[in-house]
Amino acid sequence: MATTAWTHERLEQLRQTRVWRSIFRRGPARTNRTRSLAVFGNLALHVLPVKVREKSLSVRATYYLGSISFFLFVVLTITGILLMFYYHPAVPEAYRDMKDLVFVVSNGVFLRNLHRLAAHAMVVAVFWHMFHVFYRGGYKPPHEFNWVIGVGLLLVTLFLSYTGYLLPWDQLAFWAITVGTNIVSYVPVLGRPIRFMLLGGHIIGQNALLRFYVLHCVILPLAAVVLIAGHFWRIQKDGGLTVRDDHE
Amino acid sequence: MPGESKAPGKPEEKTAVSRRDFLNEIAGGALTIAGIGAAVVTVNYSSPNVLFEPPTTFRAGKPDDFIDPVTYLPDQQVYIVRSDKGMWAMSAVCTHLGCITQFKPESEQIACPCHGSKFKIAGTVQAGPAPRPLPHFSMVLGEDGVLVVDKLEIVSDSEILKV
């Protein structure tokens, strides 16, 4: 107990320092008001609600599917960035780099599998989240627009999954992208030009690999971050989650 | 601000559009045009002008090299078909979603492994989801007796090379 008291005292001293006070301007969160202010005043937390109904925190209300999807997105971002250190989006290297990650790089196979499994899990989690919200009626007013953002996030998740599929540059990837981009060319009038722009040519080659890489690592994750921030923020602005009375 | 205050007894001319609205519309219009321009330029930029793709014209070989009814050229993804009527070159890429088809000698059919489309050796669709027949490519006999196929030039099925 003496150590706890000592730690509290040191923490209290730390809180009084000028540096600490310059970062956390509002002082310790001891009252409801200062706790609320702490959430409002934090860049990462201010998109989240300051207060939630206790019911909406129960497992059965959400099964935490949205949080699980977000957690998987964070896992995918971290493992993806680490994989980028060894991967060249170039035609002879891409496949070899993938094989190097599996057989040569320390813990490479762990990271690659983590990325791959988390990607599959994220698609499952996002779909499950959508079905759960649908069957709970969570799309109803005032949550209509957040449902629309959610559909955007579902599409971004699927596009991320699809663009990532080409990157190992193996036969599975090649034919999946052949079939997928041919589906695109069935779009009326614009189909062929869209396919040409997506592949950067007529065939699935170097240009296509680089474009899918940039989409996968930069454009789509940025879109996801923007949509996720909007999605979280709207939960707060729409007055919290839809919770039924029989959820206790 | 003092400069803007209206002098009494000197009513401003009534205009349908206020100065503020006029400037807002000009600025909004300029931004819209700039935005559309940026989008067009970006789309243009994303469509390459020079491609480093394999050539689409190739020398297939001498007619006598193709004695089988259907010969598949894996590098070009092209069939050279020989029948009693003559010879033609035909795409081996399924018109459904781009998988590579395969000739089945036992049934004299060309079959796609992906979604089960089946074609006659003339290229016409017999079964499956393929929306169009396999396209025929222009094939000419060069001066040196070698068949030259151009995959960019699609010809009608009736253009058959007599050899």
Side-chain angles (χ1 to χ4, degrees):
Chain A
M1 290 316 277
T3 41
T4 342
W6 184 85
T7 320
H8 274 288
E9 207 176 300
R10 292 289 89 75
L11 264 177
E12 204 46 54
Q13 278 182 352
L14 186 65
R15 286 210 180 95
Q16 301 305 322
T17 59
R18 218 180 134 188
V19 174
W20 182 278
R21 292 168 76 92
S22 76
I23 302 170
F24 304 100
R25 316 196 66 147
R26 298 184 200 276
R30 293 225 177 85
T31 63
N32 268 349
R33 185 186 143 76
T34 45
R35 278 188 206 114
S36 301
L37 287 174
V39 173
F40 277 135
N42 184 298
L43 176 68
L45 296 181
H46 88 277
V47 295
L48 300 172
V50 167
K51 288 180 183 173
V52 293
R53 268 162 278 162
E54 204 174 347
K55 266 186 236 165
S56 70
L57 292 177
S58 73
V59 177
R60 284 201 51 214
T62 59
Y63 293 106
Y64 307 137
L65 289 165
S67 309
I68 290 170
S69 306
F70 177 68
F71 172 72
L72 288 167
F73 180 75
V74 173
V75 169
L76 285 161
T77 307
I78 295 167
T79 53
I81 288 170
L82 291 172
L83 289 173
M84 283 168 81
F85 286 132
Y86 281 101
Y87 179 84
H88 302 82
V91 165
E93 287 97 336
Y95 179 75
R96 295 177 204 162
D97 290 345
M98 182 269 291
K99 285 290 175 197
D100 270 3
L101 276 163
V102 174
F103 293 110
V104 181
V105 179
S106 302
N107 307 324
V109 68
F110 175 76
L111 276 176
R112 177 174 138 75
N113 287 348
L114 195 56
H115 193 76
R116 201 182 166 86
L117 292 172
H120 291 319
M122 187 175 163
V123 172
V124 172
V126 166
F127 266 110
W128 194 1
H129 178 44
M130 185 187 78
F131 286 127
H132 189 268
V133 168
F134 183 78
Y135 287 122
R136 286 281 195 245
Y139 57 88
K140 288 176 186 167
H143 304 281
E144 316 99 297
F145 187 64
N146 220 11
W147 172 267
V148 175
I149 298 177
V151 172
L153 276 165
L154 173 71
L155 291 176
V156 169
T157 306
L158 293 180
F159 287 145
L160 275 165
S161 186
Y162 180 68
T163 50
Y165 207 73
L166 181 65
L167 303 185
W169 201 246
D170 51 10
Q171 284 292 314
L172 202 61
F174 184 88
W175 290 105
I177 303 312
T178 301
V179 169
T181 53
N182 275 317
I183 292 173
V184 172
S185 62
Y186 277 86
V187 172
V189 188
L190 286 175
R192 296 250 148 216
I194 292 174
R195 180 176 187 267
F196 183 77
M197 217 167 81
L198 202 59
L199 293 182
H202 303 289
I203 57 164
I204 293 163
Q206 173 65 71
N207 284 1
L209 180 57
L210 191 55
R211 276 170 197 226
F212 273 57
Y213 178 74
V214 173
L215 280 169
H216 187 74
C217 300
V218 183
I219 297 174
L220 291 170
L222 275 179
V225 167
V226 171
L227 288 174
I228 288 170
H231 204 56
F232 285 3
W233 186 67
R234 283 304 290 228
I235 298 172
Q236 170 199 335
K237 294 293 152 186
D238 295 340
L241 304 174
T242 311
V243 192
R244 272 188 345 212
D245 287 337
D246 55 346
H247 276 176
E248 283 121 297
Chain B
M1 286 201 287
E4 277 182 28
S5 60
K6 288 173 206 165
K10 202 180 151 196
E12 238 173 63
E13 216 175 293
K14 274 270 180 199
T15 46
V17 184
S18 72
R19 179 181 298 185
R20 173 166 298 195
D21 285 350
F22 174 75
L23 288 175
N24 274 344
E25 273 166 33
I26 291 283
L31 279 175
T32 309
I33 291 169
I36 293 170
V40 168
V41 167
T42 308
V43 167
N44 260 339
Y45 172 81
S46 308
S47 307
N49 297 324
V50 179
L51 292 171
F52 300 92
E53 295 180 348
T56 54
T57 306
F58 67 96
R59 290 156 66 83
K62 293 206 159 85
D64 294 343
D65 298 343
F66 304 99
I67 36 171
D68 294 334
V70 177
T71 311
Y72 175 54
L73 306 174
D75 291 345
Q76 303 293 340
Q77 302 175 339
V78 163
Y79 292 121
I80 307 291
V81 188
R82 175 162 217 147
S83 77
D84 5 319
K85 287 181 248 166
M87 296 178 76
W88 64 89
M90 191 168 71
S91 168
V93 179
C94 184
T95 52
H96 178 222
L97 290 173
C99 297
I100 299 300
T101 56
Q102 219 178 9
F103 176 59
K104 302 285 179 192
E106 63 278 4
S107 58
E108 293 231 322
Q109 269 181 335
I110 290 165
C112 179
C114 288
H115 308 98
S117 294
K118 292 197 168 60
F119 305 88
K120 288 186 189 169
I121 58 163
T124 44
V125 183
Q126 264 196 318
R132 290 180 305 277
L134 295 173
H136 289 220
F137 297 136
S138 129
M139 181 163 71
V140 292
L141 193 58
E143 302 238 320
D144 51 355
V146 170
L147 296 165
V148 178
V149 179
D150 185 355
K151 289 198 278 185
L152 273 191
E153 203 184 329
I154 291 164
V155 298
S156 86
D157 321 0
S158 53
E159 273 188 47
I160 290 171
L161 194 70
K162 308 276 187 220
V163 281

